[in-house]
């Protein structure tokens, strides 16, 4: 038997962009062929798509991780790497996507609606694309960017026209079974229904759906019973129908008090419902009262007594029996009319024209702040500097020199000087920290050296990492000052 899952946590990982290729064209009788390294391919996206054949989030419950494929690395001969394939995840209609902080990212309604849950990383440029007047044959290429990784919460809110609300064992499942072809579980004990059941009802020219929500009890909005997990399924219902058990033998219960208790729970859940802009406020939804189990003589008399009180509130009242099917035909026509009136008063919004907003790639803004963890250090923040750090292969001096030139042109060097940065101070960009050396002539004409090297990096007279480590261990007494001393 399939399980109904309406809330899952999904970890999505987009594909990594492929690295660019550093290659030089080599062919007989063609000297100085020039750079011909191709760009890396784009990483695949993770995309959520509404599918009418999917009705639960069960697949994501058993497979909570989704990863798109990576882009391929560029190759010589100006051959670009293949793009990673997008991973398409099918979700039910009415799925709401939230981030880990509870902010709504997307409300997926309507078959075919798409949402890019995680964007793939950009591929790195090959050395053919990096060639310039200063660097005619770059000996490096840019690395591909990592794809987006994040945790998403998927919540399913059933898309139904009529929501049946009532205490446990009020007869909601029985009513759905006789109004439609749905066959929910029916038994003579409370909380028989453990998941919402949907049924399709036809009345004349009107076809509408009915949702049987698991029974609510006082305190459901605070987590008692099963109500808190399933109240969200009422948010999209156009009509709310109170199904009242007129034959209950529980002390202290009667149809009026039952409806009042349920109305109090719906009002307590109102803040969550008010965010659903598709149907408006819950208080404005039409109500109808269904007095069930009229086949019991005492129940029929009680229904006759309380009906005027509900009618005084302006709510239509119908006395029925789901067992004998008494009063079902008038109820069906009344529900169809209420749904049709609501559809006329709230026509579906015209589909919005898709607007493509390319992500800007030339943001010039950046900021520099003092590093709170490192005295005299600085942290550089900005879209471009942080992206350049991720694209740089730090084992290639020429790539590091190219990074220095980019930062200098952006104005990072000048800003550090204005903020009083001292030579050798720690500068952190993204996940990389390095010692700032203003003596390195970044942004000037290059001295041509071997591929993969940058002569400017050798002009800096500073203590190397190995020497700093040795000095540190000497101070701690872990090594002798002279390596030859024993």
């Amino acid at each position: 038997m399939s399980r109904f899952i309406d809330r899952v946590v999904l970890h999505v990982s987009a594909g990594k962009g492929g690295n660019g290729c550093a290659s030089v064209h080599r062919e007989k009788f063609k000297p100085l062929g020039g750079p011909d390294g191709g760009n890396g391919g784009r990483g695949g996206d993770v995309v959520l798509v509404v599918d009418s054949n999917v009705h639960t989030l069960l697949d994501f419950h058993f497979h909570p991780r989704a990863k798109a494929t990576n882009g391929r690395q560029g190759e010589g001969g100006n051959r670009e790497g293949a793009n990673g394939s997008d991973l398409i995840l099918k979700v039910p209609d009415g799925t709401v996507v939230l981030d880990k902080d509870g902010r709504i990212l997307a409300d997926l309604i309507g078959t075919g609606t798409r949402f890019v849950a995680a964007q793939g990383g950009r591929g790195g440029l090959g050395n053919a694309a990096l060639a310039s007047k200063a660097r005619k044959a770059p000996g490096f290429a840019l690395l591909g960017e990592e794809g987006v990784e994040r945790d998403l919460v998927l919540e399913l809110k059933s898309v139904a026209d009529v929501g049946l609300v009532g205490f446990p064992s009020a007869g909601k499942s029985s009513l759905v079974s006789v109004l439609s072809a749905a066959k929910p579980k029916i038994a003579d004990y409370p909380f028989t229904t453990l998941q919402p059941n949907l049924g399709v009802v036809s009345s004349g020219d009107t076809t509408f759906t009915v949702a049987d929500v698991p029974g609510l009890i006082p305190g459901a909005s605070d987590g008692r019973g099963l109500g808190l997990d399933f109240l969200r399924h009422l948010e999209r219902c156009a009509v709310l129908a109170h199904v009242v058990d007129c034959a209950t033998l529980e002390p202290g219960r009667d149809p009026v008090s039952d409806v009042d208790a349920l109305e109090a729970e719906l009002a307590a859940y109102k803040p969550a419902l008010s965010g659903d802009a598709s149907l408006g406020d819950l208080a404005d939804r039409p109500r109808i009262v269904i007095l069930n189990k009229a086949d019991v003589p005492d129940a029929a008399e009680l229904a006759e007594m309380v009906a005027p009180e509900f009618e005084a509130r302006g709510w239509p009242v119908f006395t029925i029996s789901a067992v004998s099917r008494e009063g079902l035909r008038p109820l069906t026509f009344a529900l169809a009319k209420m749904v049709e009136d609501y559809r006329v008063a709230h026509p579906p919004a015209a589909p919005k024209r898709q607007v493509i907003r390319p992500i800007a790639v030339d943001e010039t803004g950046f900021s520099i702040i003092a590093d709170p963890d490192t005295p005299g250090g600085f942290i550089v923040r900005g879209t471009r500097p942080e992206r350049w750090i991720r694209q740089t292969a730090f084992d290639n001096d020429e790539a590091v020199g190219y990074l220095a030139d980019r930062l200098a042109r952006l104005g990072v060097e000048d800003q550090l000087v204005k903020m009083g940065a001292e030579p050798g101070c720690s500068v952190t960009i993204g996940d990389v920290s390095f010692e700032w050396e203003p003596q390195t002539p970044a942004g000037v004409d290059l001295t041509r050296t071997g591929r993969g090297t940058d002569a400017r990096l050798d002009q800096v007279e500073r203590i190397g990492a190995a020497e700093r480590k040795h000095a540190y261990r000497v101070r701690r007494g872990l090594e002798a000052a002279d390596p030859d001393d024993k």
Side-chain angles (χ1 to χ4, degrees):
M1 180 177 179
S2 64
R3 298 171 57 188
F4 181 86
I5 301 295
D6 64 345
R7 189 180 190 276
V8 296
V9 177
L10 179 64
H11 180 78
V12 293
S13 302
K16 179 183 182 297
N19 298 334
C21 175
S23 171
V24 174
H25 183 72
R26 291 179 176 84
E27 188 175 350
K28 190 176 182 180
F29 306 124
K30 289 188 178 180
L32 304 176
D36 66 349
N39 302 332
R42 175 188 61 83
D45 298 335
V46 178
V47 184
L48 304 180
V49 180
V50 175
D51 191 309
S52 59
N53 296 320
V54 180
H55 306 287
T56 178
L57 302 173
L58 183 64
D59 288 345
F60 305 122
H61 175 74
F62 292 109
H63 303 92
R65 295 183 176 274
K67 188 180 189 311
T69 57
N70 298 331
R72 298 291 297 274
Q73 182 172 336
E75 299 180 3
N78 293 306
R79 288 174 292 182
E80 295 191 353
N83 294 331
S85 301
D86 293 342
L87 178 61
I88 306 297
L89 302 178
K90 299 178 181 179
V91 298
D93 192 5
T95 300
V96 178
V97 185
L98 306 96
D99 63 11
K100 61 181 180 180
D101 297 324
R103 291 188 294 267
I104 296 179
L105 302 178
D107 195 354
L108 305 179
I109 302 177
T111 301
T113 303
R114 298 167 59 91
F115 171 69
V116 179
Q119 192 169 32
R122 281 181 275 199
L125 297 179
N127 66 341
L130 296 173
S132 63
K133 182 179 179 181
R135 291 183 175 84
K136 297 184 181 299
F140 68 98
L142 299 185
L143 303 179
E145 295 186 54
E146 295 288 341
V148 174
E149 291 189 18
R150 59 178 174 175
D151 290 331
L152 300 175
V153 178
L154 305 185
E155 288 189 352
L156 176 60
K157 299 179 182 179
S158 299
V159 180
D161 296 307
V162 179
L164 302 183
V165 185
F167 274 68
S169 299
K172 301 183 298 298
S173 298
S174 300
L175 182 57
V176 171
S177 67
V178 296
L179 289 179
S180 67
K183 300 300 178 185
K185 181 180 179 181
I186 301 173
D188 58 351
Y189 55 85
F191 297 112
T192 307
T193 302
L194 300 178
Q195 65 187 43
N197 298 302
L198 290 177
V200 180
V201 183
S202 296
S203 177
D205 296 332
T206 303
T207 300
F208 57 94
T209 56
V210 178
D212 164 25
V213 179
L216 304 180
I217 60 176
S221 60
D222 295 326
R224 294 192 61 192
L226 301 176
L228 186 61
D229 291 332
F230 298 107
L231 275 170
R232 72 173 69 95
H233 294 281
L234 296 175
E235 296 190 25
R236 303 190 192 280
C237 295
V239 178
L240 298 181
H242 286 285
V243 181
V244 183
D245 181 4
C246 291
T248 182
L249 299 178
E250 295 183 25
R253 281 186 54 188
D254 62 82
V256 177
S257 63
D258 284 359
V259 172
D260 290 341
L262 295 178
E263 283 291 325
E265 295 305 317
L266 294 176
Y269 192 69
K270 183 177 178 180
L273 295 172
S274 61
D276 188 353
S278 59
L279 292 178
D281 192 358
L282 178 66
D284 298 332
R285 313 285 174 86
R287 301 290 205 278
I288 186 173
V289 178
I290 303 173
L291 304 177
N292 193 18
K293 303 186 180 181
D295 54 298
V296 180
D298 291 342
E301 294 179 5
L302 181 59
E304 186 176 355
M305 291 174 55
V306 300
E309 185 166 347
F310 291 122
E311 292 173 350
R313 302 183 185 184
W315 298 345
V317 181
F318 290 85
T319 303
I320 68 158
S321 171
V323 175
S324 64
R325 305 201 174 195
E326 175 188 348
L328 292 184
R329 187 176 179 83
L331 173 63
T332 303
F333 285 122
L335 290 175
K337 185 178 186 308
M338 294 178 70
V339 171
E340 193 64 32
D341 292 343
Y342 196 92
R343 290 174 179 174
V344 173
H346 301 79
K352 297 181 179 179
R353 184 176 63 179
Q354 186 175 7
V355 179
I356 299 176
R357 296 183 176 88
I359 298 177
V361 296
D362 60 344
E363 299 95 338
T364 58
F366 69 91
S367 62
I368 302 179
I369 62 173
D371 191 338
D373 299 326
T374 304
F378 296 89
I379 299 177
V380 180
R381 293 174 177 170
T383 302
R384 299 181 76 184
E386 292 175 5
R387 184 172 69 243
W388 293 343
I389 288 291
R390 295 192 297 267
Q391 293 175 333
T392 300
F394 285 93
D395 57 352
N396 186 305
D397 286 348
E398 190 176 358
V400 175
Y402 180 70
L403 171 64
D405 290 339
R406 300 175 92 178
L407 294 175
R409 288 194 296 268
L410 188 61
V412 174
E413 294 275 352
D414 294 339
Q415 186 64 27
L416 284 171
V417 172
K418 292 179 181 179
M419 296 185 65
E422 297 291 337
C425 69
S426 174
V427 176
T428 301
I429 306 178
D431 297 331
V432 178
S433 297
F434 53 90
E435 294 181 357
W436 182 57
E437 296 291 350
Q439 295 89 352
T440 301
V444 302
D445 292 338
L446 297 178
T447 301
R448 296 182 181 180
T449 57
R451 296 180 64 243
T453 63
D454 194 314
R456 296 172 299 172
L457 300 183
D458 298 330
Q459 298 175 10
V460 179
E461 297 180 358
R462 61 179 179 180
I463 300 176
E467 297 179 32
R468 291 198 304 272
K469 183 177 180 180
H470 172 67
Y472 171 79
R473 295 179 65 84
V474 168
R475 291 193 301 271
R476 298 293 298 272
L478 302 176
E479 291 183 1
D482 188 348
D484 295 334
D485 295 340
K486 301 295 184 181

